[in-house]
Amino acid sequence: MEQIIKSEQAKSENDGADGEVSRQTLRLFTSIQQLDMRLLNLSLKKVSASIRVTPSSIDAEMKLIQSLCGSDESTCLLKAIKYTRKHASPSGCRAPPWRQLCGEICYIVADPFDGDKLTITAHTAGVFLNQGILQDGDEQYDRDGEYCKDLLTLLKEKSDRFAENLSNQDFKAKLSQMEEEQTMYHDGEHENAKEEGNEKKGKGKSDHAAKGKGGDAKKVEKENSKDSKKPAKEEEKKSKKLEPTLQTLPASHSPTGGSPTQHRRSVAKRTSPNRMRHSTAHDYTDDESESESEDEEEVIDRRTDMAADLPSEYWQIQKLVKYLKAGNQTATVIALCSLRDFNLSQETCQLAIRDVGGLEILINLLETEEVKCKIGALKILREISRNAYIRRSIADLGGLQVMVDILSDRDRDLKCLSAETIANVAKFKRARKVVAQNGGIEKLVQLLSSDDSEVARCGASALWSCSKSKRNKNIMRSAGVIPLLAKLLAQGAPKTLVPVVGTLQECASQPSYRKAIRTENMIQELVKHMKSSDEELQMHCASAIFKCAQDKDTRDLVRIHGGLDPMVALLNRRENKDLLAAATGAIWKCSISPENVKRFQELKAIQSLVALLSDQPEQKIGMEVLINVVGAVAECAQDAANREAIRKANGIPPLVSLLTSTNQTLLVNVCKAVGKCAQDSDNMGIIDRLDGVRLLWSLLKNPNPEVQAAAAWAICPCIESARVSVAQPDAGGTRGRGLTLLLAGSGRARSQLRGWP
């Protein structure tokens, strides 16, 4: 609408004779827009006025009544009262998501002394009896009676004994006392939150004043001390005025009202230790690349420390979410479109949707029959699911199961949006398990066979996220993913290539996939795409070759199809560390074959690799790149000409300096590289002069048997050298002790030694 108004304004300014018509059209559009806003505001006010029951008020009533239940009829109100569902969503509702759309909050079973059990439904419009629970355990949600304003009123109407006991003075006193304690507790929490905000503001004032003159700082301290006394006085006044009842619960405990900062704290408390234990208990042991519990703790802590000052977009989004709750289909679509106008990549906007209970509503909309509502909800979920906390909330609310079902829908847009959202959510282990358990892997593999490249791209993106699990890789292979990936790789659609190659390099950690990549002629395609101008595509192609090049046949295919040349060319991309790590890794594995080493020698790859071993290489290029570079140098150093090239390129000193590193994998590669270089007498002189032999002897005390074995093999050419003698110990006796350690090495070290050439 705003775009139409702007275009009409431009027409009215530029046109001469038609200017009056454009102005009238502009007035008409403006009037329609104002009418829409008025209708939305009126509908919101009407619906807000009709809502009387909230999850927090029902929970408060339940706690009060449960404390007065028991087997003694004279001292108790009921035999028992409980929820039918123990689990509560972040909004506090215990009803299934599809029933929450109808306004239902929870279901309760009450056992009075003078009758049968009562099955009760708590609805936003009131409390009523439902038709009970069948013998097979299914609940019947249809209303069987009139609405009551609260739970106490309904129980008084349906149980004479309950009403009689409730009228007793003793029960009245107990009930009044417990209501007062609960209200005071909630009010205390409310005031504590205010005091924390005042303390932060006061602290900021005092810090700012401390930078100025001393007299001004003292004045600010006095003002802060006065301000700190005000909340306590106000609390005393409020506590005297309050008359505690079940209806006087603070707004901060409503799922849609109160302070957003307090609501975030309550969500964080509710989801920290208990939910983490619950999630990890259902996780299966697998080879994952992340630690779920640590990531989850970091996410929660970061949310609770956010500042209390929020921009206007936060409150505007919360109003739109209320329209989603209250409006009809048209209002819902309008509200979804309005939500998409905000920058949903900002964390503030994402938290606004979460804090007001918008995630539950969006997930519930996915189960409706309206395609427009589903598309709008998925577009919003796709954007906000990039947030780590939102991802876990979507999984907790059962959103993944619904999205997996949508993958079978006939609508193209729904399938694409659902797959993209799954790709964002399935970044942690529990989410990947849920997708697999609900048949999502097979459905995603089917998307790859689509003639529509966009559908295939979305399916490949979701499989890329899910392929971090070993079990999911096996399911994908059984579902026939390999020929489909080979077909998409050969087609070479630009948008599809990155997720397809990303999935391949993730799966290439398994021997069965590496063999399939070789036999399906995918090595040739990977080499071809490694020459493209897209750095992300180049990185994934090099990473896939890095993993596949463990097999000799694959290394030969890479050389035959001209893959060594682009690898060496990528060494010049030092600003992109991820691409550099992938390229150096591929060179390392490919240099295991002597034929490839000769080609690298022709391309002067040794000089480029040694150039990366400059001062402080770990800070400049990263540890992963450093491990790969040293590994490649070690493999190339098997040739005498390359050992001379390493010396001429001044590569011996940085290699010797790396013998003091603490990274175990790097130490193994460095020892191997130094040992190979030591076979040359000129290189040996440099190593001895730089105290490299002593460092090798000291590595025999390393607790890692692989490091011990690598150091022992590196010492061998040093012993054979005429310039170093075993019988001539150094000043500290390091060589003698090292020889003792070598002869009395552990069984694991000896087994490692046997495996070395």
Side-chain angles (χ1 to χ4, degrees), residues 668-736:
V668 172
N669 287 352
V670 172
C671 289
K672 189 173 182 181
V674 172
K676 295 295 181 183
C677 291
Q679 295 177 10
D680 187 278
S681 59
D682 294 332
N683 291 346
M684 185 61 229
I686 300 174
I687 294 171
D688 188 32
R689 186 169 63 252
L690 296 173
D691 210 15
V693 180
R694 183 188 64 81
L695 293 174
L696 288 173
W697 282 109
S698 65
L699 287 177
L700 293 175
K701 296 184 289 185
N702 192 288
N704 190 325
E706 292 186 7
V707 176
Q708 293 176 9
W713 277 108
I715 290 171
C716 291
C718 300
I719 295 174
E720 295 171 0
S721 175
R723 302 179 67 178
V724 179
S725 175
V726 177
Q728 182 184 357
D730 58 343
T734 305
R735 294 178 190 136

Side-chain angles (χ1 to χ4, degrees), residues 363 366 381 393-404 422 434:
I363 292 173
L366 300 182
L381 288 171
S393 299
I394 291 173
D396 292 339
L397 294 170
L400 281 171
Q401 292 88 328
V402 183
M403 294 175 198
V404 168
I422 290 173
V434 171

Side-chain angles (χ1 to χ4, degrees), residues 301-314:
D301 292 340
R302 190 158 54 86
R303 295 304 180 278
T304 55
D305 292 339
M306 287 190 64
D309 296 334
L310 296 166
S312 59
E313 289 85 354
Y314 184 94

Side-chain angles (χ1 to χ4, degrees), residues 78-99:
L78 296 170
K79 293 180 183 178
I81 186 170
K82 62 179 181 179
Y83 292 110
T84 60
R85 296 173 181 265
K86 295 181 180 180
H87 174 70
S89 65
S91 66
C93 296
R94 299 172 188 267
W98 59 90
R99 299 302 300 178

Side-chain angles (χ1 to χ4, degrees), residues 88-93 97-98 100-101 255 263 270 321 325 353-367 381 393-394 397:
S89 65
S91 66
C93 296
W98 59 90
Q100 292 181 29
L101 280 175
H263 187 67
R270 196 164 53 237
V321 174
K325 292 182 178 181
I353 295 174
R354 182 205 67 184
D355 290 347
V356 79
L359 289 178
E360 296 93 321
I361 299 170
L362 292 172
I363 292 173
N364 289 341
L365 288 174
L366 300 182
E367 298 182 293
L381 288 171
S393 299
I394 291 173
L397 294 170

